[in-house]
Coordinates of all heavy atoms in Angstrom, one line a residue:
M513 N -37.0 -32.2 6.4 CA -35.7 -31.8 7.0 C -34.7 -31.5 6.0 O -33.9 -30.5 6.1 CB -35.2 -32.8 8.0 CG -33.9 -32.4 8.6 SD -33.8 -33.0 10.3 CE -32.1 -32.7 10.6
L514 N -34.6 -32.3 5.0 CA -33.6 -32.1 3.9 C -33.9 -30.8 3.1 O -33.0 -30.1 2.7 CB -33.6 -33.3 2.9 CG -32.6 -33.2 1.8 CD1 -31.2 -33.3 2.3 CD2 -32.8 -34.4 0.9
K515 N -35.2 -30.5 2.9 CA -35.6 -29.3 2.2 C -35.2 -28.1 3.0 O -34.7 -27.1 2.4 CB -37.1 -29.4 2.1 CG -37.6 -28.2 1.2 CD -39.1 -28.4 1.0 CE -39.6 -27.3 0.1 NZ -41.1 -27.4 -0.2
T516 N -35.2 -28.1 4.4 CA -34.8 -27.0 5.2 C -33.3 -26.8 5.1 O -32.8 -25.7 5.0 CB -35.2 -27.3 6.7 OG1 -36.6 -27.5 6.7 CG2 -34.9 -26.1 7.5
I517 N -32.6 -27.9 5.1 CA -31.1 -27.8 5.0 C -30.7 -27.2 3.6 O -29.9 -26.3 3.6 CB -30.4 -29.1 5.3 CG1 -30.6 -29.6 6.7 CG2 -28.9 -29.1 4.9 CD1 -30.2 -31.0 7.0
L518 N -31.3 -27.7 2.6 CA -31.0 -27.2 1.3 C -31.3 -25.7 1.1 O -30.6 -24.9 0.5 CB -31.7 -28.0 0.2 CG -31.2 -29.4 0.0 CD1 -32.0 -30.2 -1.0 CD2 -29.7 -29.4 -0.4
L519 N -32.5 -25.3 1.6 CA -32.9 -23.9 1.6 C -31.9 -23.1 2.4 O -31.6 -21.9 1.9 CB -34.3 -23.8 2.2 CG -34.9 -22.4 2.1 CD1 -35.0 -21.9 0.6 CD2 -36.3 -22.4 2.8
T520 N -31.4 -23.5 3.5 CA -30.5 -22.8 4.3 C -29.2 -22.6 3.6 O -28.6 -21.5 3.6 CB -30.3 -23.5 5.7 OG1 -31.5 -23.6 6.3 CG2 -29.3 -22.7 6.6
V521 N -28.7 -23.7 3.0 CA -27.4 -23.6 2.3 C -27.6 -22.7 1.1 O -26.7 -21.9 0.8 CB -27.0 -25.0 1.8 CG1 -25.8 -25.0 0.8 CG2 -26.6 -25.9 3.0
A522 N -28.7 -22.8 0.4 CA -28.9 -21.9 -0.8 C -28.9 -20.4 -0.4 O -28.3 -19.6 -1.0 CB -30.2 -22.3 -1.5
C523 N -29.6 -20.1 0.7 CA -29.6 -18.8 1.2 C -28.3 -18.3 1.6 O -27.9 -17.1 1.3 CB -30.6 -18.6 2.4 SG -32.3 -18.8 2.0
L524 N -27.5 -19.1 2.2 CA -26.1 -18.7 2.6 C -25.2 -18.5 1.4 O -24.4 -17.5 1.4 CB -25.5 -19.7 3.6 CG -26.1 -19.8 5.0 CD1 -25.5 -20.9 5.8 CD2 -25.8 -18.5 5.7
V525 N -25.4 -19.3 0.4 CA -24.6 -19.1 -0.8 C -25.0 -17.8 -1.5 O -24.1 -17.0 -1.9 CB -24.8 -20.3 -1.8 CG1 -24.3 -20.0 -3.2 CG2 -24.1 -21.6 -1.2
V526 N -26.3 -17.5 -1.6 CA -26.7 -16.3 -2.2 C -26.2 -15.1 -1.4 O -25.7 -14.1 -2.0 CB -28.3 -16.3 -2.4 CG1 -28.8 -14.9 -2.7 CG2 -28.7 -17.3 -3.4
L527 N -26.3 -15.1 -0.1 CA -25.8 -14.0 0.7 C -24.3 -13.8 0.6 O -23.8 -12.7 0.5 CB -26.2 -14.3 2.2 CG -27.6 -13.9 2.6 CD1 -27.9 -14.3 4.0 CD2 -27.9 -12.4 2.5
G528 N -23.6 -14.9 0.5 CA -22.2 -14.9 0.4 C -21.8 -14.2 -0.9 O -20.9 -13.4 -1.0
L529 N -22.4 -14.6 -2.0 CA -22.2 -14.0 -3.3 C -22.5 -12.5 -3.3 O -21.8 -11.7 -3.9 CB -22.9 -14.7 -4.4 CG -22.4 -16.2 -4.7 CD1 -23.4 -16.9 -5.7 CD2 -21.0 -16.1 -5.3
L530 N -23.7 -12.2 -2.7 CA -24.1 -10.8 -2.7 C -23.1 -9.9 -1.9 O -22.7 -8.8 -2.4 CB -25.5 -10.7 -2.0 CG -26.0 -9.3 -1.8 CD1 -26.3 -8.6 -3.2 CD2 -27.2 -9.3 -0.9
F531 N -22.6 -10.4 -0.7 CA -21.6 -9.7 0.0 C -20.3 -9.6 -0.7 O -19.6 -8.6 -0.6 CB -21.4 -10.3 1.4 CG -22.6 -10.1 2.3 CD1 -23.0 -11.1 3.2 CD2 -23.4 -8.9 2.3 CE1 -24.1 -10.9 4.1 CE2 -24.4 -8.7 3.2 CZ -24.8 -9.7 4.1
A532 N -19.9 -10.6 -1.4 CA -18.7 -10.6 -2.2 C -18.8 -9.5 -3.3 O -17.8 -8.8 -3.5 CB -18.4 -11.9 -2.8
V533 N -19.9 -9.4 -3.9 CA -20.0 -8.4 -5.0 C -20.0 -7.0 -4.4 O -19.4 -6.0 -4.9 CB -21.3 -8.6 -5.8 CG1 -21.7 -7.4 -6.7 CG2 -21.3 -9.8 -6.6
V534 N -20.7 -6.8 -3.2 CA -20.7 -5.5 -2.5 C -19.3 -5.1 -2.1 O -18.8 -4.0 -2.3 CB -21.6 -5.5 -1.3 CG1 -21.5 -4.3 -0.5 CG2 -23.1 -5.6 -1.8
L535 N -18.5 -6.1 -1.5 CA -17.1 -5.8 -1.1 C -16.3 -5.4 -2.3 O -15.4 -4.6 -2.2 CB -16.6 -7.0 -0.3 CG -17.0 -7.1 1.1 CD1 -16.5 -8.4 1.7 CD2 -16.6 -6.0 2.0
Y536 N -16.4 -6.2 -3.4 CA -15.6 -5.9 -4.6 C -15.9 -4.4 -5.1 O -15.0 -3.7 -5.3 CB -16.0 -6.9 -5.6 CG -15.3 -6.6 -7.0 CD1 -14.0 -6.9 -7.1 CD2 -16.0 -6.0 -8.0 CE1 -13.3 -6.6 -8.4 CE2 -15.4 -5.7 -9.2 CZ -14.1 -6.0 -9.4 OH -13.5 -5.7 -10.6
C537 N -17.1 -4.1 -5.1 CA -17.5 -2.7 -5.6 C -17.0 -1.7 -4.7 O -16.5 -0.6 -5.1 CB -19.0 -2.6 -5.7 SG -19.7 -3.6 -7.1
V538 N -17.1 -1.8 -3.4 CA -16.6 -0.9 -2.4 C -15.1 -0.8 -2.5 O -14.5 0.4 -2.4 CB -17.1 -1.3 -1.0 CG1 -16.4 -0.4 0.1 CG2 -18.6 -1.1 -0.8
A539 N -14.4 -1.9 -2.6 CA -12.9 -1.9 -2.7 C -12.5 -1.1 -4.0 O -11.5 -0.4 -3.9 CB -12.4 -3.3 -2.7
R540 N -13.2 -1.3 -5.1 CA -12.8 -0.6 -6.3 C -13.1 1.0 -6.2 O -12.3 1.8 -6.6 CB -13.6 -1.1 -7.5 CG -13.4 -2.6 -7.8 CD -12.4 -2.8 -8.9 NE -12.8 -2.0 -10.1 CZ -12.1 -2.0 -11.1 NH1 -11.0 -2.7 -11.2 NH2 -12.4 -1.3 -12.2
K541 N -14.2 1.3 -5.5 CA -14.6 2.7 -5.4 C -13.6 3.5 -4.5 O -13.2 4.6 -4.7 CB -16.0 2.9 -4.9 CG -16.4 4.3 -4.7 CD -17.9 4.4 -4.6 CE -18.3 5.9 -4.4 NZ -18.1 6.7 -5.6
F542 N -13.2 2.8 -3.4 CA -12.3 3.5 -2.4 C -10.9 3.1 -2.5 O -10.1 3.3 -1.6 CB -12.9 3.2 -1.0 CG -14.2 3.8 -0.7 CD1 -15.3 3.0 -0.6 CD2 -14.3 5.2 -0.6 CE1 -16.6 3.6 -0.4 CE2 -15.5 5.8 -0.4 CZ -16.7 5.0 -0.3
A543 N -10.5 2.6 -3.6 CA -9.1 2.2 -3.8 C -8.2 3.5 -3.8 O -8.5 4.5 -4.3 CB -8.9 1.5 -5.2
V544 N -7.0 3.3 -3.1 CA -6.1 4.4 -3.0 C -5.0 4.2 -4.1 O -4.3 3.2 -4.0 CB -5.5 4.5 -1.6 CG1 -4.4 5.6 -1.5 CG2 -6.6 4.7 -0.6
E545 N -4.8 5.2 -4.9 CA -3.7 5.1 -5.9 C -2.5 5.7 -5.3 O -2.5 6.8 -4.7 CB -4.1 5.9 -7.2 CG -5.4 5.4 -7.9 CD -5.2 4.0 -8.5 OE1 -4.0 3.7 -8.9 OE2 -6.1 3.2 -8.5
E546 N -1.4 5.0 -5.5 CA -0.1 5.4 -4.9 C 0.9 5.6 -6.0 O 1.0 4.8 -7.0 CB 0.3 4.4 -3.9 CG 1.2 5.0 -2.8 CD 1.4 4.0 -1.7 OE1 2.0 2.9 -2.0 OE2 1.1 4.3 -0.5
D547 N 1.8 6.5 -5.9 CA 2.9 6.7 -6.8 C 3.8 5.5 -6.8 O 4.4 5.2 -5.8 CB 3.6 8.0 -6.4 CG 4.6 8.5 -7.6 OD1 4.9 7.7 -8.4 OD2 4.9 9.7 -7.6
P548 N 4.0 4.9 -7.9 CA 4.9 3.7 -8.0 C 6.4 4.0 -7.7 O 7.1 3.1 -7.3 CB 4.8 3.2 -9.4 CG 4.2 4.3 -10.2 CD 3.5 5.2 -9.3
R549 N 6.8 5.3 -7.8 CA 8.1 5.7 -7.4 C 8.5 5.5 -5.9 O 9.6 5.2 -5.6 CB 8.4 7.1 -7.8 CG 8.3 7.4 -9.3 CD 8.5 8.8 -9.7 NE 7.5 9.6 -9.1 CZ 7.6 10.9 -9.0 NH1 8.6 11.6 -9.4 NH2 6.6 11.6 -8.4
I550 N 7.4 5.5 -5.1 CA 7.6 5.3 -3.7 C 8.1 3.9 -3.4 O 9.1 3.7 -2.6 CB 6.3 5.6 -2.9 CG1 5.8 7.0 -3.0 CG2 6.4 5.2 -1.4 CD1 4.5 7.3 -2.5
D551 N 7.6 2.9 -4.1 CA 8.0 1.6 -3.9 C 9.5 1.4 -4.4 O 10.3 0.7 -3.8 CB 7.2 0.6 -4.7 CG 5.8 0.4 -4.1 OD1 5.7 0.6 -2.8 OD2 4.8 0.2 -4.8
V552 N 9.9 2.1 -5.5 CA 11.2 2.0 -6.0 C 12.2 2.6 -5.0 O 13.2 2.0 -4.7 CB 11.3 2.7 -7.3 CG1 12.8 2.8 -7.8 CG2 10.5 2.1 -8.4
V553 N 11.9 3.7 -4.4 CA 12.8 4.4 -3.5 C 12.8 3.5 -2.2 O 13.9 3.4 -1.6 CB 12.3 5.8 -3.1 CG1 13.1 6.4 -2.0 CG2 12.4 6.7 -4.4
E554 N 11.7 3.0 -1.8 CA 11.7 2.2 -0.5 C 12.6 0.9 -0.7 O 13.3 0.5 0.2 CB 10.3 1.7 -0.2 CG 10.2 1.0 1.1 CD 8.8 0.5 1.4 OE1 8.0 0.4 0.6 OE2 8.6 0.2 2.6
K555 N 12.6 0.3 -1.9 CA 13.5 -0.8 -2.2 C 15.0 -0.5 -2.1 O 15.8 -1.3 -1.7 CB 13.2 -1.5 -3.5 CG 11.8 -2.2 -3.5 CD 11.5 -2.8 -4.8 CE 10.1 -3.4 -4.8 NZ 9.7 -3.9 -6.1
I556 N 15.3 0.8 -2.4 CA 16.7 1.2 -2.4 C 17.2 1.4 -1.0 O 18.3 1.2 -0.6 CB 16.9 2.5 -3.2 CG1 16.6 2.2 -4.7 CG2 18.2 3.2 -3.0 CD1 16.5 3.5 -5.5
M557 N 16.2 1.9 -0.1 CA 16.6 2.2 1.3 C 17.0 0.9 2.0 O 16.7 -0.2 1.6 CB 15.4 2.8 2.0 CG 14.8 4.0 1.4 SD 16.0 5.3 1.2 CE 16.4 5.6 2.9
P558 N 17.9 1.0 3.1 CA 18.4 -0.1 3.8 C 17.3 -0.9 4.5 O 17.5 -2.1 4.9 CB 19.4 0.5 4.7 CG 19.1 1.9 4.8 CD 18.4 2.3 3.6
G559 N 16.2 -0.4 4.8 CA 15.1 -1.1 5.5 C 15.3 -1.2 7.0 O 14.7 -2.1 7.6
A560 N 16.1 -0.4 7.6 CA 16.3 -0.4 9.0 C 15.1 0.2 9.8 O 14.9 -0.2 11.0 CB 17.5 0.4 9.4
N561 N 14.3 1.0 9.2 CA 13.2 1.7 9.8 C 13.6 2.3 11.2 O 12.9 2.2 12.2 CB 12.0 0.8 10.0 CG 11.4 0.4 8.6 OD1 11.3 1.3 7.8 ND2 11.0 -0.8 8.5
C562 N 14.8 2.9 11.2 CA 15.3 3.4 12.5 C 14.8 4.8 12.9 O 14.8 5.1 14.1 CB 16.8 3.4 12.4 SG 17.5 4.5 11.1
G563 N 14.4 5.6 11.9 CA 13.9 6.9 12.2 C 15.1 7.9 12.3 O 14.9 9.1 12.7
G564 N 16.3 7.5 12.0 CA 17.4 8.4 12.0 C 17.3 9.5 11.0 O 18.0 10.6 11.2
C565 N 16.6 9.4 10.0 CA 16.4 10.4 9.0 C 15.4 11.5 9.4 O 15.2 12.5 8.8 CB 15.9 9.7 7.7 SG 14.4 8.8 7.8
G566 N 14.6 11.2 10.5 CA 13.6 12.1 11.0 C 12.2 11.7 10.6 O 11.2 12.4 10.9
F567 N 12.1 10.6 9.9 CA 10.8 10.1 9.5 C 10.5 8.7 10.3 O 11.4 8.2 10.8 CB 10.7 9.8 8.0 CG 10.8 11.1 7.2 CD1 12.1 11.5 6.7 CD2 9.8 12.0 7.1 CE1 12.2 12.7 6.0 CE2 9.9 13.2 6.4 CZ 11.1 13.5 5.8
A568 N 9.3 8.3 10.3 CA 8.9 7.1 11.0 C 9.5 5.9 10.5 O 9.7 4.9 11.3 CB 7.4 7.0 11.0
G569 N 9.9 5.8 9.3 CA 10.6 4.6 8.8 C 11.0 4.9 7.3 O 10.8 6.0 6.8
C570 N 11.4 3.8 6.7 CA 11.9 3.9 5.3 C 10.7 4.3 4.4 O 10.9 5.0 3.4 CB 12.6 2.7 4.9 SG 14.2 2.4 5.7
R571 N 9.6 3.7 4.6 CA 8.4 4.0 3.8 C 8.0 5.5 3.8 O 7.8 6.1 2.8 CB 7.2 3.1 4.2 CG 6.0 3.3 3.4 CD 6.1 2.7 2.0 NE 4.9 2.8 1.2 CZ 4.8 2.3 0.0 NH1 5.8 1.6 -0.5 NH2 3.7 2.5 -0.7
A572 N 8.0 6.1 5.0 CA 7.7 7.5 5.2 C 8.7 8.3 4.6 O 8.4 9.4 3.9 CB 7.5 7.8 6.7
F573 N 10.0 8.0 4.7 CA 11.1 8.7 4.0 C 10.9 8.7 2.5 O 11.0 9.7 1.9 CB 12.4 8.0 4.4 CG 13.6 8.7 3.8 CD1 14.2 9.8 4.4 CD2 14.2 8.2 2.6 CE1 15.2 10.4 3.8 CE2 15.3 8.8 2.0 CZ 15.8 10.0 2.6
A574 N 10.6 7.5 2.0 CA 10.4 7.4 0.5 C 9.2 8.2 0.0 O 9.3 8.9 -1.0 CB 10.2 5.9 0.1
E575 N 8.1 8.2 0.8 CA 7.0 9.0 0.4 C 7.3 10.5 0.4 O 6.9 11.3 -0.6 CB 5.8 8.8 1.4 CG 5.1 7.5 1.3 CD 4.1 7.2 2.4 OE1 3.9 8.1 3.2 OE2 3.5 6.1 2.3
N576 N 8.1 11.0 1.4 CA 8.4 12.4 1.4 C 9.4 12.8 0.4 O 9.4 13.9 -0.2 CB 8.9 12.8 2.8 CG 7.8 12.9 3.8 OD1 7.0 13.9 3.8 ND2 7.6 11.9 4.6
V577 N 10.4 11.9 0.0 CA 11.3 12.2 -1.0 C 10.6 12.3 -2.4 O 10.9 13.2 -3.1 CB 12.4 11.0 -1.1 CG1 13.2 11.1 -2.3 CG2 13.4 11.2 0.1
V578 N 9.7 11.4 -2.6 CA 9.0 11.4 -3.9 C 8.2 12.7 -4.1 O 8.1 13.3 -5.1 CB 8.1 10.1 -4.1 CG1 7.2 10.3 -5.3 CG2 9.1 8.9 -4.3
K579 N 7.5 13.1 -3.0 CA 6.7 14.3 -3.0 C 7.4 15.6 -3.0 O 6.9 16.6 -3.4 CB 5.7 14.3 -1.8 CG 4.7 13.1 -1.9 CD 3.8 13.1 -0.6 CE 2.9 11.9 -0.7 NZ 2.2 11.8 0.6
A580 N 8.7 15.6 -2.6 CA 9.5 16.8 -2.5 C 10.0 17.3 -3.9 O 10.3 16.5 -4.7 CB 10.6 16.6 -1.5
P581 N 10.1 18.6 -4.1 CA 10.5 19.1 -5.3 C 12.0 18.8 -5.5 O 12.5 18.8 -6.7 CB 10.2 20.6 -5.3 CG 10.1 20.9 -3.9 CD 9.7 19.7 -3.2
D582 N 12.8 18.8 -4.4 CA 14.3 18.5 -4.6 C 14.7 17.6 -3.4 O 13.9 17.4 -2.5 CB 15.1 19.7 -4.7 CG 14.9 20.7 -3.5 OD1 14.3 20.3 -2.5 OD2 15.3 21.8 -3.5
M583 N 16.0 17.2 -3.4 CA 16.5 16.3 -2.4 C 17.1 17.0 -1.2 O 17.6 16.4 -0.3 CB 17.6 15.4 -3.0 CG 17.1 14.4 -4.0 SD 16.1 13.0 -3.3 CE 17.4 12.3 -2.3
K584 N 17.0 18.3 -1.2 CA 17.6 19.1 -0.1 C 17.0 18.8 1.3 O 15.8 18.8 1.4 CB 17.4 20.6 -0.4 CG 18.1 21.5 0.6 CD 17.9 23.0 0.2 CE 18.6 23.8 1.2 NZ 18.4 25.3 0.9
G585 N 17.8 18.5 2.2 CA 17.4 18.2 3.6 C 17.1 16.7 3.8 O 16.7 16.4 5.0
F586 N 17.2 15.8 2.9 CA 17.0 14.4 3.0 C 18.3 13.7 3.1 O 19.2 13.9 2.3 CB 16.2 13.8 1.9 CG 14.8 14.3 1.8 CD1 14.4 15.3 0.9 CD2 13.8 13.9 2.7 CE1 13.1 15.8 0.8 CE2 12.5 14.3 2.6 CZ 12.2 15.3 1.6
F587 N 18.5 12.9 4.2 CA 19.6 12.0 4.3 C 19.3 10.8 5.2 O 18.7 10.9 6.2 CB 20.8 12.8 5.0 CG 22.1 12.0 5.0 CD1 22.8 11.8 3.9 CD2 22.5 11.5 6.2 CE1 24.0 11.0 3.9 CE2 23.7 10.8 6.3 CZ 24.4 10.5 5.1
C588 N 19.8 9.7 4.7 CA 19.6 8.4 5.4 C 21.0 8.1 6.1 O 21.9 7.7 5.4 CB 19.2 7.3 4.5 SG 19.2 5.7 5.3
P589 N 21.1 8.2 7.4 CA 22.3 8.0 8.1 C 22.8 6.5 8.0 O 24.0 6.2 8.1 CB 22.1 8.4 9.6 CG 20.7 8.4 9.7 CD 20.0 8.6 8.4
V590 N 21.8 5.6 7.9 CA 22.2 4.1 7.8 C 22.7 3.8 6.4 O 23.7 3.1 6.3 CB 20.9 3.3 8.1 CG1 21.3 1.8 7.9 CG2 20.4 3.5 9.5
G591 N 22.1 4.3 5.4 CA 22.5 4.0 4.0 C 23.7 4.8 3.6 O 24.5 4.5 2.7
G592 N 23.8 6.0 4.1 CA 24.9 6.9 3.8 C 24.8 7.5 2.4 O 23.7 7.5 1.8
D593 N 25.9 8.1 1.9 CA 25.9 8.8 0.6 C 25.6 7.8 -0.5 O 25.0 8.3 -1.5 CB 27.3 9.4 0.4 CG 27.6 10.5 1.4 OD1 26.6 11.2 1.8 OD2 28.7 10.8 1.7
A594 N 26.1 6.6 -0.5 CA 25.8 5.6 -1.6 C 24.3 5.4 -1.8 O 23.8 5.4 -3.0 CB 26.5 4.3 -1.3
T595 N 23.6 5.3 -0.7 CA 22.1 5.1 -0.8 C 21.5 6.3 -1.3 O 20.6 6.3 -2.2 CB 21.5 4.7 0.5 OG1 22.1 3.5 0.9 CG2 20.0 4.6 0.4
M596 N 21.9 7.5 -0.9 CA 21.3 8.8 -1.3 C 21.6 9.0 -2.8 O 20.7 9.6 -3.5 CB 21.8 9.9 -0.4 CG 21.3 9.8 1.0 SD 19.5 9.5 1.2 CE 18.8 11.0 0.5
K597 N 22.7 8.6 -3.3 CA 23.0 8.8 -4.7 C 22.0 7.9 -5.6 O 21.5 8.3 -6.6 CB 24.4 8.4 -5.0 CG 25.4 9.4 -4.6 CD 26.8 9.0 -4.9 CE 27.8 10.1 -4.3 NZ 29.2 9.7 -4.5
K598 N 21.8 6.7 -5.1 CA 20.9 5.8 -5.8 C 19.4 6.4 -5.8 O 18.7 6.3 -6.7 CB 20.8 4.4 -5.2 CG 22.1 3.7 -5.4 CD 22.0 2.3 -4.8 CE 23.3 1.5 -4.9 NZ 23.3 0.3 -4.2
V599 N 19.0 7.0 -4.6 CA 17.7 7.6 -4.4 C 17.6 8.8 -5.4 O 16.5 9.0 -6.0 CB 17.4 8.0 -3.0 CG1 16.2 8.9 -2.9 CG2 17.3 6.8 -2.1
A600 N 18.6 9.6 -5.5 CA 18.6 10.7 -6.4 C 18.4 10.4 -7.8 O 17.8 11.1 -8.6 CB 19.9 11.6 -6.2
E601 N 18.9 9.2 -8.2 CA 18.7 8.8 -9.6 C 17.3 8.6 -9.9 O 16.8 8.8 -11.0 CB 19.5 7.5 -9.9 CG 21.0 7.7 -9.8 CD 21.8 6.4 -10.0 OE1 21.1 5.4 -10.1 OE2 23.0 6.5 -9.9

């Protein structure tokens, strides 16, 4: 009986390690690279996620600001002009 338990535990450990390696490889292969400027702009935003700017939230606003060639048409009504000046920098 002890031999059966040890064999079962050993099989589970090997399977766990195998699945961990597979998950690690898959996570590395399908990793999504994101522009670090999006995080910077999101931290500047007030974080209300109100949608007043026309986007789903501050994260969506930051993504679109970073991807846009200029700041024309972007405004955060909660943060106002002071926030937009910081974003423009």
Side-chain angles (χ1 to χ4, degrees):
M513 178 148 167
L514 182 63
K515 188 175 182 180
T516 305
I517 293 173
L518 290 176
L519 182 61
T520 303
V521 169
C523 287
L524 287 175
V525 167
V526 169
L527 279 174
L529 289 173
L530 177 69
F531 288 143
V533 169
V534 169
L535 283 173
Y536 174 77
C537 292
V538 169
R540 299 260 311 174
K541 179 162 178 72
F542 293 108
V544 176
E545 297 296 326
E546 206 172 58
D547 193 338
R549 297 178 298 166
I550 295 171
D551 291 328
V552 173
V553 173
E554 184 182 18
K555 287 179 185 174
I556 294 170
M557 302 305 296
N561 292 322
C562 62
C565 58
F567 297 98
C570 293
R571 181 76 179 181
F573 180 83
E575 289 173 359
N576 284 286
V577 166
V578 169
K579 291 177 185 174
D582 59 12
M583 294 286 296
K584 185 178 179 183
F586 292 102
F587 185 72
C588 174
V590 176
D593 290 331
T595 299
M596 292 312 296
K597 286 178 184 175
K598 290 179 186 175
V599 168
E601 290 174 3

